[in-house]
Amino acid sequence: MAPLPDGFSYAEWNATYNALSFGIAAMGSATIFFWLQLPNVTKNYRTALTITGIVTLIATYHYIRIFNSWSEAFTVASKDGGDYTVQLTGAPFNDGYRYVDWLLTVPLLLIELILVMKLPQAETVSLSWKLGLASALMVALGYPGEIQEDLSVRWFWWCLSMIPFCYVVFTLAVGLAEATSKQPSPAAASLASAARYLTVLSWCTYPFVYMVKSVGLAGPAATMYEQVGYSLADVLAKAVFGVLIWAIAAEKSAVEESGKLLPK
């Protein structure tokens, strides 16, 4: 784990502090919402919605840990009524919590999408294993580069992690297109398509944030952009994506209950 650079301004420290706080609030409130909605969908989609809540619950826990670690790594004080100054305490900032979170939540994100689409059982199991393992491998390959300051090493691990990343993104964008078109209503198909493309869009921000230290940024500014970027991408990929999963489940439940689709 690389030590934090010295010389943070109050604005840089505060931007990261607020982004992490936003992550806690977004993930925590999303968890409550998803689980409160369980009785409002049919049993066919409750597993997907339960997993959606588990994803944001895991993220809430890890954002609390990251937030606390960030707070403990700095002393922020105003002397004699002047501007706030930010100093390192010497305590480590453990950003490894992010990778533990992603290792757990990223496969679950893909599984919840597959479940809510209600594919044939054999296809559901096959896709869940393939996409789950590929996404876990992507996260595992990204971590060794994240903790390196050597840019050549970061690029090496970035390239390796992009192999499973491209496979997952291709499957979401192209491989699930036919299944999306077979949803029971135009609204459900539109929501499923939006969920797929939101996943692709939000995921594509991670590789760019990962390499922020390789494009001329360094020190406190690079750390700030990295933390804020990851936090915003997480909220899109987990909380906002979860809302789409709930909307798909609610729409398909309504279709089933109205008799337009007979449950299998």
Side-chain angles (χ1 to χ4, degrees):
M1 184 187 308
L4 285 169
D6 203 358
F8 276 86
S9 68
Y10 177 69
E12 291 167 335
W13 175 86
N14 197 44
T16 303
Y17 183 94
N18 289 332
L20 296 175
S21 179
F22 174 69
I24 295 171
M27 303 298 186
S29 58
T31 302
I32 296 170
F33 173 77
F34 298 144
W35 286 349
L36 286 177
Q37 290 299 313
L38 282 172
N40 297 328
V41 301
T42 63
K43 64 179 182 180
N44 293 321
Y45 308 107
R46 287 176 187 165
T47 299
L49 201 56
T50 299
I51 293 175
T52 305
I54 291 173
V55 165
T56 50
L57 178 65
I58 293 171
T60 302
Y61 167 76
H62 284 109
Y63 264 87
I64 292 172
R65 297 302 299 267
I66 297 169
F67 178 85
N68 289 339
S69 183
W70 181 261
S71 299
E72 292 166 2
F74 296 92
T75 297
V76 181
S78 174
K79 188 175 182 180
D80 300 326
D83 293 338
Y84 286 103
T85 58
V86 180
Q87 294 182 326
L88 297 174
T89 63
F93 172 56
N94 188 359
D95 199 27
Y97 289 124
R98 284 198 185 278
Y99 277 81
V100 175
D101 176 87
W102 292 339
L103 194 61
L104 295 170
T105 60
V106 171
L108 290 176
L109 283 168
L110 298 173
I111 291 172
E112 72 189 56
L113 176 60
I114 294 167
L115 288 175
V116 83
M117 294 184 74
K118 203 181 177 185
L119 303 171
Q121 184 176 0
E123 188 177 357
T124 296
V125 173
S126 176
L127 276 173
S128 295
W129 275 107
K130 289 178 182 177
L131 294 182
L133 290 175
S135 60
L137 180 62
M138 173 189 71
V139 174
L141 289 173
Y143 182 68
E146 185 71 69
I147 59 177
Q148 295 293 327
E149 292 297 321
D150 187 320
L151 297 185
S152 63
V153 177
R154 288 179 67 86
W155 276 114
F156 172 77
W157 288 106
W158 183 87
C159 291
L160 285 183
S161 66
M162 287 300 291
I163 297 172
F165 172 88
C166 290
Y167 166 75
V168 173
V169 168
F170 177 82
T171 302
L172 289 172
V174 179
L176 290 177
E178 183 179 355
T180 301
S181 66
K182 294 180 179 179
Q183 295 302 300
S185 72
S190 177
L191 288 167
S193 180
R196 286 167 47 227
Y197 287 115
L198 175 64
T199 303
V200 171
L201 175 64
S202 61
W203 277 35
C204 284
T205 63
Y206 289 99
F208 292 105
V209 176
Y210 184 95
M211 293 312 301
V212 72
K213 294 178 181 177
S214 303
V215 292
L217 288 174
T223 301
M224 178 198 69
Y225 284 118
E226 187 176 60
Q227 294 303 317
V228 172
Y230 280 149
S231 298
L232 294 178
D234 275 349
V235 170
L236 281 176
K238 296 181 175 73
V240 177
F241 175 77
V243 171
L244 286 176
I245 294 297
W246 161 76
I248 295 168
E251 169 64 20
K252 295 177 75 170
S253 295
V255 172
E256 289 184 1
E257 290 175 351
S258 68
K260 295 179 182 177
L261 176 67
L262 294 176
K264 295 182 180 181

